[in-house]
């Protein structure tokens, strides 16, 4: 058996992308509620107002998860549902919702993995300066404490923050995500520092509020580099690219991972960003560098790289290569080399906190949703993850993104990532072939992945 008995076979979502009910029971507005109202901001003028109506349909959705056989489910809490103004007054009805959801998951035998921040910053805090204000780290710690006091008796697995690279770059540099700002890099890097500080304070708050042991990690998303061959020079090229700040974008790994995991900003990053580097106060790095229990990574695609005469060279993907409707290239080796190299550098157990593909799925005339590409994608990626396990990488879980088709940020509802098809007009759910296939894989503890027969036709029943 390649995958351990207690492997967390999971799927993931985030609050704004599925909950809807944005005005229900005392929830305050988030930056995404405001951004979606801006003409042209989101494809088709879509918004998360209703999304999958999960707030009202959570019990039926948990039943679907149970039907698929999920062992774990990664959800996020909407900060403005718990603290409508971001700090201060607590909205008990918002907390009650998560209470019910957690209980339903536990009753179904599904372990909840809770993410505290998946981009829906309370608008009230954005208006007070948002992440640019150093106090944001304390706001986040306050929110963490409120959530943990209510849920930590049952929730033992936490992610603090999801993909700082994405919400900071897209939200505050290019402006294509909420709140749609275009700020100088100096400001964005300062915000990034406050986000890391918030992570550290949140870990402290979680440990303080948890009576028993709990497992805490976070979920960054920087680029995975895959060596063109298994030769040592190419592997070294991949390692070098994975763990360096080699361009001006914020999509590198080490800037975001070294401070929490190694207690320092990478020196090449400080050199590259120069005067734009953040102001770091004494003690900040100690606060950021809290002991963590696992390393989460959201892995979708990868860049192939080889060692050239002048150093690492990116290998362009072949014309016509496999890709999702989002135009993300299929590189299954990402789930071998990503976990392997992250484990080598940071030494923590790994969770694949997100992995998945978008597709143009629809309900066919036979009433089913046939998504052979997704089955093939998952089979290829999971086989590679299995190889990483066999080679000694301590991988603890895999969370398919996503259990439901949902609101894909600036793309609205046009990118479907789900194992379950959602008809957004009627809220009808239909399990896709991939959901049945995943059920089969989970039921057999992953063994079906290594069945020599081709995955799609054999298993999509
Ligand atoms: O939908 C997003 C998610 O919110 C964060 N990670 C990537 C997913 C697909 O784009």
């Amino acid at each position: 058996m390649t995958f351990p008995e207690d492997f967390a076979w999971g799927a993931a979502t985030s609050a704004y992308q599925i909950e809807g009910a944005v005005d229900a029971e005392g929830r305050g507005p988030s930056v995404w509620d405001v951004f979606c109202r801006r003409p042209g901001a989101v494809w088709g003028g879509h918004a998360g107002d209703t999304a999958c109506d999960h707030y009202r349909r959570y019990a039926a959705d948990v039943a679907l998860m149970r039907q698929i056989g999920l062992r774990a489910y990664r959800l996020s809490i909407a900060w403005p549902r718990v603290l409508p103004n971001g700090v201060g007054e607590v909205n008990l009805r918002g907390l009650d919702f998560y209470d019910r959801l957690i209980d339903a998951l536990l009753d179904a035998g599904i372990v909840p993995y809770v993410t505290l921040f998946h981009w829906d910053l309370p608008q009230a805090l954005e208006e007070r300066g948002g992440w640019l204000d150093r106090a944001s780290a304390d706001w986040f710690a306050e929110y963490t404490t409120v959530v943990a006091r209510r849920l930590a008796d049952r929730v033992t697995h936490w992610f603090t923050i999801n993909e700082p690279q994405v919400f900071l770059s897209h939200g505050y540099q290019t402006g294509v995500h909420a709140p749609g700002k275009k700020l100088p890099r100096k400001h964005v890097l300062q915000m990034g520092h406050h986000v890391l500080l918030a992570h550290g304070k949140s870990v402290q708050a979680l440990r303080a509020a948890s009576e028993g042991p709990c497992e805490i990690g976070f979920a960054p998303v920087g680029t995975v580099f895959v060596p063109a061959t298994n030769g040592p020079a190419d592997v070294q090229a991949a390692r070098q690219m994975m763990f360096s700040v080699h361009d001006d974008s914020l999509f590198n790994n080490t800037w975001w991972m070294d401070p929490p995991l190694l207690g320092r900003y990478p020196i090449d990053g400080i050199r590259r960003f120069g005067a734009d580097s953040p102001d770091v106060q004494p003690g900040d790095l100690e606060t950021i560098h809290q002991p963590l229990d696992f390393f989460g990574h959201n892995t979708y695609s990868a860049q192939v790289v080889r060692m050239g005469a002048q150093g690492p060279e990116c290998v362009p993907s072949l014309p016509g290569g496999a890709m999702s409707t989002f135009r993300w290239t299929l590189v299954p080796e990402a789930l071998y080399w990503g976990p392997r190299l992250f484990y080598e550098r940071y030494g923590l157990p790994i969770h694949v906190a997100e992995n998945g593909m978008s597709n143009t799925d629809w309900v066919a005339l036979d009433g089913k949703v046939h998504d052979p590409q997704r089955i093939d994608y998952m089979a290829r990626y999971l086989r590679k993850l299995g190889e990483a396990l066999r080679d000694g990488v301590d991988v603890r879980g895999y969370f398919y993104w996503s259990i439901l088709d949902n609101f894909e940020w600036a793309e609205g509802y046009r990118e479907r990532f789900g194992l379950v098809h959602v008809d957004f007009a009627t809220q009808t759910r239909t399990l896709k072939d991939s959901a049945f296939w995943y059920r089969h894989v989970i039921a057999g503890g992953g063994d079906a992945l290594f069945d020599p027969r081709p995955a799609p036709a054999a298993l999509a029943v």
Side-chain angles (χ1 to χ4, degrees):
M1 204 164 186
T2 302
F3 288 85
E5 196 77 33
D6 58 353
F7 190 74
W9 293 101
T13 61
S14 85
Y16 189 72
Q17 293 178 273
I18 64 164
E19 284 180 2
V22 291
D23 295 325
E25 300 189 313
R27 178 187 178 279
S30 77
V31 290
W32 272 95
D33 296 294
V34 175
F35 185 68
C36 289
R37 299 277 167 270
R38 194 188 276 189
V42 176
W43 186 85
H46 297 169
D49 295 9
T50 307
C52 306
D53 197 27
H54 175 73
Y55 189 74
R56 299 193 176 85
R57 295 168 193 263
Y58 75 91
D61 289 338
V62 171
L64 292 175
M65 295 176 206
R66 182 181 212 162
Q67 191 183 341
I68 296 170
L70 293 190
R71 302 279 159 75
Y73 171 56
R74 178 175 174 228
L75 63 117
S76 83
I77 307 265
W79 186 346
R81 212 180 270 296
V82 173
L83 291 150
N85 299 309
V87 287
E89 180 217 346
V90 175
N91 178 33
L92 292 176
R93 289 177 299 170
L95 276 174
D96 290 345
F97 166 68
Y98 295 109
D99 222 32
R100 293 192 295 273
L101 174 57
I102 297 300
D103 285 345
L105 289 164
L106 292 171
D107 285 349
I110 299 169
V111 179
Y113 282 65
V114 171
T115 305
L116 287 159
F117 184 70
H118 198 125
W119 309 355
D120 41 2
L121 185 74
Q123 175 65 19
L125 294 184
E126 181 61 25
E127 286 166 16
R128 286 172 67 176
W131 293 110
L132 198 48
D133 190 327
R134 189 178 159 88
S136 54
D138 295 316
W139 302 336
F140 191 61
E142 177 182 334
Y143 156 63
T144 302
T145 299
V146 170
V147 172
R149 282 199 181 135
R150 185 67 177 269
L151 301 181
D153 58 336
R154 284 151 294 150
V155 175
T156 51
H157 296 79
W158 302 91
F159 290 89
T160 54
I161 288 175
N162 191 67
E163 297 182 358
Q165 292 96 327
V166 176
F167 76 83
L168 289 169
S169 297
H170 290 351
Y172 300 93
Q173 267 195 312
T174 62
V176 297
H177 277 189
K181 293 187 172 164
K182 291 183 183 176
L183 302 180
R185 187 172 67 178
K186 169 88 188 151
H187 289 195
V188 181
L189 288 172
Q190 192 62 47
M191 295 172 124
H193 182 67
H194 298 154
V195 167
L196 291 174
L197 206 52
H199 157 83
K201 291 193 177 203
S202 176
V203 177
Q204 291 173 330
L206 285 171
R207 301 245 189 251
S210 302
E211 280 172 16
C214 61
E215 295 187 14
I216 309 175
F218 75 132
V221 72
T223 309
V224 168
F225 289 86
V226 160
T229 70
N230 285 348
D234 287 346
V235 172
Q236 182 52 24
R239 191 180 282 116
Q240 234 172 282
M241 292 298 278
M242 285 268 288
F243 302 121
S244 58
V245 181
H246 47 262
D247 64 23
D248 283 343
S249 88
L250 301 188
F251 280 88
N252 65 74
N253 292 302
T254 47
W255 188 262
W256 306 99
M257 301 173 195
D258 282 8
L261 295 161
L262 303 179
R264 56 172 190 264
Y265 277 106
I267 198 76
D268 60 347
I270 294 173
R271 277 201 206 104
R272 176 173 282 277
F273 297 142
D276 286 351
S277 294
D279 301 328
V280 177
Q281 295 191 8
D284 282 2
L285 283 160
E286 287 73 19
T287 304
I288 292 169
H289 185 206
Q290 296 298 312
L292 293 179
D293 303 285
F294 62 83
F295 178 80
H297 191 261
N298 296 351
T299 314
Y300 289 86
S301 186
Q303 173 63 55
V304 181
V305 70
R306 67 178 162 234
M307 190 59 88
Q310 313 299 322
E313 290 171 351
C314 288
V315 180
S317 46
L318 290 174
M323 53 177 68
S324 70
T325 53
F326 227 146
R327 299 290 178 253
W328 295 353
T329 51
L330 194 92
V331 189
E333 294 76 14
L335 278 199
Y336 177 83
W337 288 105
R340 183 172 158 165
L341 294 175
F342 286 130
Y343 188 56
E344 177 185 288
R345 183 174 179 90
Y346 297 118
L348 284 178
I350 306 278
H351 276 293
V352 178
E354 289 180 21
N355 169 251
M357 65 161 280
S358 59
N359 204 9
T360 51
D361 308 310
W362 66 83
V363 182
L365 283 172
D366 63 4
K368 298 180 178 174
V369 181
H370 303 296
D371 57 343
Q373 290 93 338
R374 181 170 291 104
I375 295 173
D376 194 64
Y377 175 102
M378 292 176 76
R380 287 173 189 268
Y381 274 72
L382 280 166
R383 282 181 186 183
K384 289 293 169 194
L385 190 63
E387 285 176 25
L389 270 157
R390 284 180 190 161
D391 284 353
V393 181
D394 184 1
V395 186
R396 302 279 174 92
Y398 169 86
F399 293 83
Y400 179 78
W401 183 274
S402 170
I403 185 73
L404 299 169
D405 290 337
N406 61 45
F407 176 75
E408 180 51 33
W409 307 115
E411 305 303 322
Y413 295 95
R414 73 171 165 175
E415 297 289 342
R416 291 181 179 271
F417 278 89
L419 294 169
V420 177
H421 180 275
V422 178
D423 177 331
F424 293 104
T426 63
Q427 292 296 339
T428 304
R429 271 72 161 145
T430 308
L431 265 64
K432 301 181 189 176
D433 288 353
S434 55
F436 292 107
W437 174 83
Y438 194 34
R439 180 174 72 176
H440 181 73
V441 169
I442 296 171
D447 286 352
L449 291 166
F450 305 101
D451 189 322
R453 287 170 302 167
L459 300 175
V461 281

